[in-house]
């Protein structure tokens, strides 16, 4: 007897500005699918321009689950995403459709596929010590320290990725073990789905960089500065919150506080977005066994469609 096939699910993963959303919506036009956002910034309400969130008309035509689900004042973890995504996938499958998970938050994709480690809870006092050390010596110095304690984790983190370096060091101190070892031990079996993993990667990074610059300029022209100002007026926010650490929002906030000029803000925002794309590409190439498609190909939506049809064929 043959084993019944698991229900299918499509993962469309890629760096920022790689055309993921357009490819997913093209699938929704032609196949019985429902979309689930895999984006740690688009979960926040009222953060629209800087997250490249589809506008209201687009979302009405192409509903995305897990968009606009929490306040910018709140925090949303990879564990919560996994729980919410699996619940949404079960509902979609039960309705006879195929879940399509689309986005660029690679930690969320990894959490979905492999589960999450039982890591120690945050220790405010220890975090304060780490922050004080970073203030004195800089985050690259702490990254070098992490490279000694946990080389595997350090290798995938940028030397200025303060949030993740802090967490990795915290885990090393609290558990006396590297985070990478804890993650490896606790990886769970994949959820009960047959996954098609598609990685949209650029054949020429300079072209992707041009897209990023053009899109950031469009965000500024559309009123990103006003959006950040309105967020600061409506909510109780700080630069320590995940929402305001999002690329673009931090740079606009700091420019509003007079830390640098609007031109510097633009340059810093574009640079930060390019660094984000670089980290996303590193995650995709090192941590997933996905089929690669050129995100710069003008026929990308058709290629995603054709690959999905072949995957779904009996």
């Amino acid at each position: 007897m043959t084993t019944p096939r698991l229900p299918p699910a499509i993962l469309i993963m890629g760096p920022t500005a790689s055309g993921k959303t357009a490819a997913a919506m093209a699938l929704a036009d032609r196949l019985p699918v429902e979309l689930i956002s895999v984006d740690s910034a688009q979960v926040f309400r009222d953060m629209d321009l800087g997250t490249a969130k589809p506008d209201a008309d687009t979302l009405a035509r192409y509903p995305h689950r897990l968009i606009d689900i929490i306040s910018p004042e709140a925090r949303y973890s990879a564990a919560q995403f996994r729980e919410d995504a699996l619940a949404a996938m079960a509902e979609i499958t039960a309705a006879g459709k195929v879940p399509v998970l689309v986005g660029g938050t690679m930690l969320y994709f990894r959490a979905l596929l492999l589960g999450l480690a039982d890591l120690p809870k945050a220790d405010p006092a220890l975090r304060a010590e780490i922050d004080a050390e970073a203030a004195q010596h800089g985050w690259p110095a702490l990254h070098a320290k992490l490279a000694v304690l946990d080389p595997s984790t350090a290798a995938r983190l940028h030397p200025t990725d303060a949030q993740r370096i802090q967490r990795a060091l915290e885990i090393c101190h609290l558990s006396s073990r590297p985070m990478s070892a804890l993650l490896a031990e606790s990886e769970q079996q994949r959820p009960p789905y047959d996954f098609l993993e598609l990685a949209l990667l650029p054949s020429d990074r300079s072209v992707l960089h041009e897209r990023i610059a053009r899109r950031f300029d469009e965000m500024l022209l559309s009123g990103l500065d006003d959006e950040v100002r309105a967020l600061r007026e409506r909510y109780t926010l700080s630069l320590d919150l995940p929402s305001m650490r999002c690329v673009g929002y931090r740079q606009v906030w700091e420019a509003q506080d007079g830390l640098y000029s609007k031109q510097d803000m633009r340059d810093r925002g574009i640079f930060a977005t390019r660094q984000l794309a670089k980290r996303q590409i590193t995650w995709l190439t090192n941590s997933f066994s996905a089929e690669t498609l050129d995100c710069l190909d003008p026929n990308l939506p058709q290629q995603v469609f054709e690959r999905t049809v072949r995957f779904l064929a009996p």
Side-chain angles (χ1 to χ4, degrees):
M1 296 178 61
T2 59
T3 303
R5 182 183 178 183
L6 294 171
I10 316 298
L11 306 184
I12 301 179
M13 306 177 284
T16 185
S18 59
K20 303 179 295 294
T21 300
M25 292 190 301
L27 284 185
D29 281 333
R30 304 167 73 179
L31 295 173
V33 304
E34 288 194 30
L35 308 183
I36 301 173
S37 171
V38 187
D39 191 303
S40 61
Q42 292 185 0
V43 297
F44 297 112
R45 291 188 292 270
D46 296 323
M47 291 177 56
D48 303 327
L49 295 175
T51 64
K53 190 180 297 177
D55 61 29
D57 291 341
T58 301
L59 289 176
R61 182 176 177 184
Y62 303 99
H64 287 56
R65 299 189 187 218
L66 307 190
I67 280 182
D68 290 337
I69 58 174
I70 62 171
S71 161
E73 299 166 318
R75 299 173 185 270
Y76 189 73
S77 67
Q80 186 62 57
F81 166 79
R82 189 174 199 268
E83 180 179 338
D84 291 344
L86 288 174
M89 292 170 70
E91 291 178 3
I92 293 168
T93 300
K97 296 185 178 181
V98 177
V100 173
L101 294 98
V102 54
T105 302
M106 302 308 158
L107 176 62
Y108 286 7
F109 279 117
R110 188 183 188 282
L112 174 69
L113 292 172
L114 300 177
L116 289 160
D118 184 17
L119 301 176
K121 294 182 179 180
D123 184 317
L126 178 56
R127 287 193 171 188
E129 291 179 12
I130 295 171
D131 285 340
E133 186 176 351
Q136 182 177 1
H137 301 291
W139 285 107
L142 269 71
H143 181 266
K145 183 176 181 180
L146 178 64
V148 175
L149 298 172
D150 188 353
S152 178
T153 298
R156 64 177 179 79
L157 297 182
H158 190 273
T160 59
D161 191 344
Q163 181 182 5
R164 291 180 176 84
I165 293 170
Q166 179 197 61
R167 179 58 174 155
L169 286 171
E170 178 185 44
I171 289 169
C172 287
H173 288 300
L174 292 175
S175 66
S176 299
R177 300 187 62 200
M179 184 172 74
S180 56
L182 296 175
L183 291 172
E185 285 181 1
S186 64
E187 285 182 354
Q188 305 169 15
Q189 291 186 349
R190 284 192 172 200
Y193 289 88
D194 186 7
F195 287 101
L196 171 63
E197 300 177 38
L198 299 177
L200 312 188
L201 293 172
S203 55
D204 184 342
R205 289 201 191 187
S206 67
V207 178
L208 182 67
H209 289 172
E210 291 171 3
R211 282 190 184 182
I212 287 170
R214 184 164 58 250
R215 190 168 75 169
F216 195 77
D217 284 336
E218 290 170 354
M219 290 175 180
L220 294 175
L221 289 172
S222 297
L224 180 57
D225 185 79
D226 291 336
E227 180 172 279
V228 174
R229 202 175 304 278
L231 287 165
R232 298 179 70 172
E233 292 175 355
R234 180 172 182 180
Y235 299 100
T236 303
L237 300 174
S238 74
L239 288 177
D240 293 329
L241 286 170
S243 60
M244 293 300 106
R245 286 200 297 265
C246 291
V247 168
Y249 289 89
R250 170 179 288 275
Q251 289 76 27
V252 171
W253 178 304
E254 291 175 340
Q256 289 178 352
D257 284 357
L259 297 184
Y260 35 77
S261 69
K262 288 188 176 181
Q263 181 62 44
D264 285 342
M265 175 268 288
R266 174 194 177 271
D267 294 342
R268 287 169 180 262
I270 291 172
F271 177 78
T273 309
R274 288 176 176 173
Q275 291 300 110
L276 169 62
K278 181 179 179 180
R279 293 194 297 272
Q280 291 169 316
I281 291 170
T282 299
W283 266 90
L284 271 175
T285 53
N286 293 344
S287 302
F288 297 89
S289 55
E291 180 176 342
T292 299
L293 298 174
D294 182 7
C295 70
L296 306 180
D297 191 316
N299 294 319
L300 176 65
Q302 179 64 22
Q303 291 182 5
V304 171
F305 170 75
E306 291 173 356
R307 183 64 190 89
T308 301
V309 168
R310 291 199 300 272
F311 172 72
L312 296 177

